[in-house]
C-alpha cells in the first residue's frame, strides 16, 4: 500500500490550485426532456489521460513514449535518464 | 489511530520538568508544541507512559539579541520565528527555514526546541543550525551546557541529549547572507532534500537535511567551493552509505536532488 495516509497521498490544498477562470458553452442534450448531461465523469476519467499524455508529450524529444502513474518527480526523472 | 494510554503532567518550572524526566527515564517524553510527538503517538510509533508538558514554562519563548548572537527560546513557535523582525533582519535564513515547515496550523503550534529534539531526518531546522554553526543550550540534572550543532545530530531521531536534558534555547551567530532551499514531498511537505547555505566572503557553510539518516555539513562542497570547482557535484560525498529512501524518492534520486539543490543554494 503506497498511499496509506495523507502523509503519502497528496490531498490537494487550496494553495495547490491555480486561479481558475470559468466560462460556459450551452449545448443541451437532445435526448432527454431537460437537456441534461452527466458532468462528473469528464473530470474523473478524462483528465488523468490528458495530464499523463501532456507529460509524455513534454518528454517526447528525449525518446519517452510512455510513463506509468503515479507520475512522481522520481518517475519523470528516471524516464528522462533512460 | 489514537495514542496508547498515558499520564499527563504540566511542569511549572524547568527544574520540575528535569526532575520528572530523571524520575521517569525513557517512560516519559516532553511535550512542547506536540506537532512531531503527537502524530508519532497517534501512529503508536511513540508510546510514552508519561507526557511532561513544558509549553507553559516561562522564559523559554523569547527571541533576543545578545552581542553577536541571536538567541531563540526553545518554546518559540515556527510562526514566531517567521514573524520576528529581529530574525528577519539579522538571521533571515532561519525565517526562510521556519516558513517552509508544514503549514500555518503546524507553524502556530510546533516549536524549534521540540523539532530539534525530535530529530526527524526530514525536518528543516537541522540543515540550518548546522550551516550557521549554532549552539544548542540544554539543561539537565547536572546543570546547563552548550552542544554545538555539529555534535548534536547522531542519527535518525537520535541526538546528543541525555535522558534528563531539555533544550532551553538555541544561540545563532548573526547571518548576513544565508538561504534555505527545499524540495517538498508533495503530500507531507517534509524535506526530501533541504539545503542551508551560509556565505561568508569567499567561503560557504552548507547544511543538508532529508538526504541522509543523519543531517550533515557538506564539507566536500565547502572545500570545492573555495577552489571554484563544481562544488555542488560533491553534495553527497561521504554519506553514500547513509542515504534515505522511500516510495517517493529512492537513494539515487535523492542524491541527484541534493546536487541540484546545493547548486541552487550556492547560486542564490
Amino acid at each position: 500500500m503506497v498511499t496509506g495516509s495523507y502523509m503519502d497521498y497528496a490531498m490537494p490544498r487550496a494553495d495547490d490550485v491555480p486561479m481558475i477562470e470559468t466560462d460556459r458553452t450551452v449545448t443541451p442534450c437532445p435526448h432527454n426532456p431537460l437537456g441534461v448531461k452527466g458532468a462528473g465523469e469528464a473530470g474523473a476519467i478524462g483528465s488523468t489521460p490528458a495530464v499523463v499524455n501532456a507529460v509524455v508529450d513534454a518528454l517526447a524529444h528525449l525518446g519517452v513514449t510512455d510513463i506509468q502513474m503515479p507520475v512522481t518527480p522520481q518517475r519523470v526523472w528516471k524516464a528522462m535518464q533512460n | 489511530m489514537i495514542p496508547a494510554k498515558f499520564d499527563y503532567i504540566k511542569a511549572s518550572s524547568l527544574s520540575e520538568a528535569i526532575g520528572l524526566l530523571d524520575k521517569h527515564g525513557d517512560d516519559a517524553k516532553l511535550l512542547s508544541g506536540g506537532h512531531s510527538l503527537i502524530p508519532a503517538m497517534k501512529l503508536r510509533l511513540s508510546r510514552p507512559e508519561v507526557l511532561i508538558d513544558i509549553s507553559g514554562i516561562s522564559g523559554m519563548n523569547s527571541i533576543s539579541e545578545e552581542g553577536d548572537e541571536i538567541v531563540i527560546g526553545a518554546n518559540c513557535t515556527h510562526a514566531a520565528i517567521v514573524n520576528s523582525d529581529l530574525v528577519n533582519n539579522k538571521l533571515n535564513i532561519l525565517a526562510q527555514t521556519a516558513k517552509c515547515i508544514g503549514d500555518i496550523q503546524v507553524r502556530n503550534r510546533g516549536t524549534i526546541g521540540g523539532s530539534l529534539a525530535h530529530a526527524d531526518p526530514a525536518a528543516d531546522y537541522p540543515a540550518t543550525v548546522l550551516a550557521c554553526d549554532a549552539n544548542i543550550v540544554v539543561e539537565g540534572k547536572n546543570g546547563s551546557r552548550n552542544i554545538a550543532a555539529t555534535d548534536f545530530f547522531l542519527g535518525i531521531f537520535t541526538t546528543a541529549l541525555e535522558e534528563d536534558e531539555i533544550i532551553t534555547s538555541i544561540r545563532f551567530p548573526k547571518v548576513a547572507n544565508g538561504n534555505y532551499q527545499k524540495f517538498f514531498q508533495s503530500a507531507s511537505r517534509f524535506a526530501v532534500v533541504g539545503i542551508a547555505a551560509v556565505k561568508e566572503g569567499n567561503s560557504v557553510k552548507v547544511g543538508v537535511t532529508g538526504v541522509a539518516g543523519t543531517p550533515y555539513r557538506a564539507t566536500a562542497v565547502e572545500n570545492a567551493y573555495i577552489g571554484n570547482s563544481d562544488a555542488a557535484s560533491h553534495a553527497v560525498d561521504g554519506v553514500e552509505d547513509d542515504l534515505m529512501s522511500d516510495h517517493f524518492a529512492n537513494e539515487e534520486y535523492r542524491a541527484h536532488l541534493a546536487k541540484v539543490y546545493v547548486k541552487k543554494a550556492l547560486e542564490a
Side-chain angles (χ1 to χ4, degrees):
Chain A
M1 165 72 122
V2 175
T3 52
S5 76
Y6 290 133
M7 295 291 276
D8 292 302
Y9 181 90
M11 177 62 75
R13 299 169 175 92
D15 62 357
D16 291 320
V17 181
M19 289 303 289
I20 298 173
E21 201 181 298
T22 62
D23 203 340
R24 58 185 65 85
T25 66
V26 183
T27 51
C29 173
H31 302 298
N32 68 73
L34 290 173
V36 298
K37 300 171 179 171
E41 293 178 13
I45 295 165
S47 59
T48 332
V51 170
V52 176
N53 284 337
V55 173
V56 173
D57 183 52
L59 302 180
H61 68 287
L62 298 170
V64 175
T65 55
D66 188 34
I67 192 166
Q68 288 299 304
M69 292 202 292
V71 183
T72 58
Q74 177 174 288
R75 285 199 176 172
V76 172
W77 179 68
K78 227 24 204 163
M80 291 168 71
Q81 306 303 303
N82 294 339
Chain B
M1 288 226 300
I2 59 174
K5 189 163 171 296
F6 59 91
D7 284 329
Y8 168 88
I9 307 172
K10 183 141 187 163
S12 50
S13 71
L14 201 51
S15 54
E16 185 192 349
I18 293 167
L20 286 166
L21 268 184
D22 193 37
K23 175 180 172 197
H24 292 283
D26 58 15
D27 288 337
K29 289 289 275 178
L30 296 175
L31 179 67
S32 180
H35 274 54
S36 296
L37 180 62
I38 293 178
M41 287 174 68
K42 286 191 171 184
L43 290 169
R44 300 204 172 194
L45 296 173
S46 180
R47 297 182 186 224
E49 290 172 26
V50 181
L51 267 193
I52 302 164
D53 185 347
I54 58 169
S55 62
I57 296 175
S58 63
M60 277 175 62
N61 64 352
S62 58
I63 297 176
S64 58
E65 185 174 4
E66 288 180 19
D68 291 329
E69 289 185 319
I70 305 290
V71 184
I72 314 273
N75 277 343
C76 284
T77 61
H78 313 316
I81 291 168
V82 170
N83 293 323
S84 155
D85 285 335
L86 195 50
V87 174
N88 277 289
N89 292 332
K90 302 193 178 177
L91 187 62
N92 188 269
I93 187 177
L94 189 67
Q96 291 175 46
T97 310
K99 204 167 177 183
C100 287
I101 298 171
D103 54 35
I104 292 178
Q105 291 90 337
V106 167
R107 294 194 289 274
N108 282 338
R109 296 289 304 168
T111 65
I112 184 169
S115 173
L116 288 171
H118 185 73
D120 192 310
D124 296 292
Y125 287 127
T128 302
V129 297
L130 283 170
C132 292
D133 270 325
N135 269 300
I136 293 152
V137 185
V138 314
E139 200 161 322
K141 64 186 182 192
N142 295 322
S144 171
R145 65 179 178 122
N146 278 7
I147 308 177
T150 43
D151 295 330
F152 187 76
F153 302 102
L154 303 179
I156 298 178
F157 301 114
T158 312
T159 68
L161 287 170
E162 296 294 342
E163 219 167 59
D164 59 288
E165 287 181 321
I166 300 178
I167 301 177
T168 53
S169 65
I170 303 93
R171 307 186 76 93
F172 289 86
K174 292 177 189 173
V175 171
N177 187 351
N179 76 100
Y180 181 69
Q181 303 289 335
K182 175 178 180 178
F183 186 84
F184 290 76
Q185 205 264 34
S186 350
S188 69
R189 296 187 174 183
F190 269 99
V192 178
V193 164
I195 310 292
V198 169
K199 290 184 193 160
E200 286 163 344
N202 295 326
S203 63
V204 72
K205 292 190 285 190
V206 178
V208 181
T209 188
V211 176
T214 309
Y216 62 100
R217 279 277 293 272
T219 48
V221 170
E222 297 172 4
N223 294 335
Y225 185 78
I226 299 174
N228 276 317
S229 55
D230 183 16
S233 66
H234 298 281
V236 295
D237 285 11
V239 298
E240 298 89 341
D241 294 334
D242 192 31
L243 293 174
M244 296 290 284
S245 177
D246 63 14
H247 287 303
F248 187 74
N250 62 17
E251 294 93 334
E252 196 196 356
Y253 187 49
R254 234 171 260 257
H256 165 73
L257 286 175
K259 293 169 193 170
V260 171
Y261 277 75
V262 164
K263 187 162 192 279
K264 273 186 201 265
L266 294 178
E267 291 173 359

